[in-house]
Structures are given as structure tokens and as C-alpha cells.
Amino acid sequence: MGAQIRVYKRRIRSVTATKKITKAMEMIAASRIIKAQRQVAASSPYADELTRAVTAVATGSNTRHPLTTEAEHPTRAAVLLITSDRGLAGGYSSNAIKAAERLTERLRAEGKEVDSYVVGRKAVAYFAFRERRVTESWTGFSDNPSYADAKAVAAPLIASVLAETEQGGVDELHIVFTEFVSMMTQNPVDRRLLPLSLKRDGESQDAAGPAKTEALPLFEFEPSAEGVLDALLPRYVESRVYNALLQAAASEHAARRRAMKSATDNAEDLIKSLTRLANAARQADITQEISEIVGGASALADASAGSD
């Protein structure tokens, strides 16, 4: 019985050590969420205003440009998938991957070839395990992206949009990431970055969400509307990629905090259960010892009575 008690105590020490780790990771993730939220809030106005500027240029001219012009028969699309570099975040990465797979199936059903661009070791490992081709990948900054990281990711995407189809160019650019809604809600979404969908009377469907209706001012473009769009194209893609990276980072921290809190709670429940089992085993051990003592005393008493 003493051996069983030692087993319980060893398991309690092991679970307690794990609980300390998960609790520390929960607190770290909680502290990083605030910074990530501030970065998302700071980047969103710039991305929204840049989209508004692009919309104003496109609606104020008849220029055909890859930023706004729909291909008559699109045959190729690029999909950027954003996941995490580390695990212990629940279903964060797997949900984003599933959303990307659904988008890929839909694009292929429309007769389009899909070029995959991935951010995060989880997505890289997913494609590598299935021996599927990845056009380009980036790792090492999923939980704390910078604008330089966004520019590095956006550069090959912009090049593929501007290239001819025969040279590996694409007609559409999509992005799949996890949108940060609140501390408890993060939704994997897919958005089309290019070409930017334009509606009449200032109504535009941008990469940030639902259609917005507003009266756009009239502009005169120097040197030309096409030149302005050429200058805005990389800025637009970079700002949208950066905003998506920041939202994904905030979502990753929130998902990890939630997963670590659940793990900590489970560890506490397991410690309570093991403590009860250890107490029951110790009580049974004490009861057995008392029974043996009483039995021995009774045997001695009987032996003394018999000798008399």
C-alpha cells in the first residue's frame, strides 16, 4: 500500500510542475494580447484610408490596372495562409488551415490553379507532411510581426500579380488569417486582396470586411491615374498583409491564453483527484495497520489465557 501512495505523490508533483508551466504561459499570453490589440487598432485606420484612396483613384478614372481590373477568364490565384510558429494554442492553426483548404477547393472548382504562400511553421509542416508544393514560406515572427516582415511577405505576392500568366503570374490574390474579434472569439476568414472589388457611387468591398458606402471626392491625378495606382499597389498589399499578421498574432495569443487556462484548470482538477486517492490509500494503509495491531494483541491475549 505504501508503494501506491508513493506513486500518487509522484504524479501529484509531476502535475503540479506542469501546472506551474501552463499558468506561466497563460500569464505571458495575457500580457501580450494587450500589445497586439493596440497594434491592430493602430494599423487599421491606415489600411482603411489607403483602401479608400485606392477606391477613389479607381472610380475616378477608366485606367485598367491589376489592382482593380478583373480578368475576363481568371486561371490562377495566389492564397496566403497565416498560422503560428508554435503550438499550445488549441485549434488556432488547424482552423486557419481548414479555412484555406475550403478556399482552395472553391478556387479549383472554378477552374483556377492555386499557388500557396504560407506563414508559420504549423502551415509549413502541414504542407510538408502531405508533400504538397508551397511557392514560398516565412517563419519566425507569427507572434510579433513587424512591418518589415509584412513587406517581405508582400513582395513576392505583388510580383506574382504584376507578372504575366505565362511567367507564373496570378489573376487573384487571397489571404486566409484568423480575425481577432474579442478575447474569447477569433474567427478564421478568407479575403480577396486583389483585384479590389469596386461598386458604384463610392461603395467598395475591401479586404477588411463588409461594403462601405460613402461619397468619394473628385481628384486630379499627377502624373496619371495609372502612375498613382502603381505607387499605391505595394502600399495597399503591404498594409493589408501587415494588418492580417497583427490580427493573427492577437488571435494566437488569445487562443494560447485560453488553451493554457484550460490546461491549468484541468491540472488543478487532476491534483484534487489524485490527492483524494492518495488520502484514501493512506487511510486504508492506517486501517490495515490498526487491524494488524488489534489482531496481534488478540492473539497474544488468547495465548496467555490458554497457558493459564
Side-chain angles (χ1 to χ4, degrees):
M1 190 66 69
Q4 188 176 9
I5 295 175
R6 286 194 295 272
V7 170
Y8 287 136
K9 288 184 176 179
R10 186 165 57 247
R11 291 188 61 189
I12 290 173
R13 287 195 298 269
S14 176
V15 175
T16 301
T18 302
K19 175 189 168 183
K20 291 179 180 179
I21 295 173
T22 57
K23 185 64 176 179
M25 295 183 67
E26 176 190 349
M27 295 176 67
I28 292 171
S31 66
R32 291 178 176 175
I33 292 174
I34 305 302
K35 178 182 177 182
Q37 283 181 289
R38 290 173 180 170
Q39 289 179 319
V40 171
S43 70
S44 295
Y46 173 78
D48 292 341
E49 285 302 315
L50 192 55
T51 302
R52 183 174 179 272
V54 171
T55 303
V57 176
T59 55
S61 67
N62 296 321
T63 302
R64 293 182 61 83
H65 193 274
L67 187 61
T68 57
T69 303
E70 298 270 359
E72 293 183 4
H73 302 289
T75 59
R76 198 177 193 91
V79 175
L80 173 64
L81 168 61
I82 301 176
T83 62
S84 66
D85 287 317
R86 298 184 295 128
L88 301 177
Y92 166 76
S93 292
S94 61
N95 290 337
I97 291 172
K98 289 177 183 176
E101 292 286 35
R102 290 192 295 268
L103 173 61
T104 300
E105 290 176 3
R106 187 173 78 242
L107 293 173
R108 286 175 176 166
E110 295 173 357
K112 302 169 187 174
E113 295 183 30
V114 177
D115 292 344
S116 296
Y117 297 79
V118 299
V119 174
R121 291 189 178 91
K122 290 298 179 180
V124 172
Y126 177 86
F127 281 85
F129 180 77
R130 288 158 180 77
E131 298 182 348
R132 292 167 55 180
R133 178 178 175 273
V134 172
T135 305
E136 197 155 349
S137 62
W138 301 267
T139 60
F141 54 81
S142 70
D143 61 344
N144 188 27
S146 65
Y147 196 81
D149 297 323
K151 291 184 68 173
V153 173
L157 297 174
I158 296 170
S160 65
V161 170
L162 296 178
E164 297 292 336
T165 304
E166 297 78 7
Q167 301 174 353
V170 298
D171 301 307
E172 296 178 2
L173 172 58
H174 299 259
I175 184 170
V176 179
F177 65 99
T178 305
E179 183 181 39
F180 182 85
V181 180
S182 67
M183 294 286 284
M184 298 301 298
T185 306
Q186 302 86 42
N187 299 323
V189 296
D190 64 85
R191 301 275 167 75
R192 193 179 78 170
L193 294 187
L194 295 176
L196 183 66
S197 297
L198 302 176
K199 305 294 182 181
R200 291 174 299 180
D201 299 326
E203 183 182 347
S204 68
Q205 176 72 37
D206 65 20
K212 301 176 182 179
T213 303
E214 60 179 320
L216 295 174
L218 298 177
F219 294 98
E220 292 185 3
F221 307 112
E222 291 290 343
S224 65
E226 184 175 3
V228 173
L229 288 174
D230 286 340
L232 289 178
L233 173 60
R235 303 292 180 269
Y236 167 75
V237 176
E238 289 168 6
S239 67
R240 282 303 173 194
V241 170
Y242 183 49
N243 185 262
L245 287 173
L246 291 177
Q247 295 225 32
S251 299
E252 178 184 345
H253 293 312
R256 181 167 292 113
R257 174 186 174 276
R258 192 166 59 250
M260 290 301 97
K261 185 179 186 307
S262 177
T264 301
D265 294 342
N266 291 337
E268 290 178 351
D269 293 340
L270 184 55
I271 290 171
K272 291 178 181 178
S273 177
L274 291 172
T275 301
R276 284 194 296 266
L277 291 173
N279 290 338
R282 184 169 60 253
Q283 291 171 357
D285 198 8
I286 293 172
T287 302
Q288 182 178 355
E289 290 178 359
I290 293 174
S291 298
E292 291 174 353
I293 292 171
V294 172
S298 299
L300 288 174
D302 292 341
S304 298
S307 62
D308 292 340

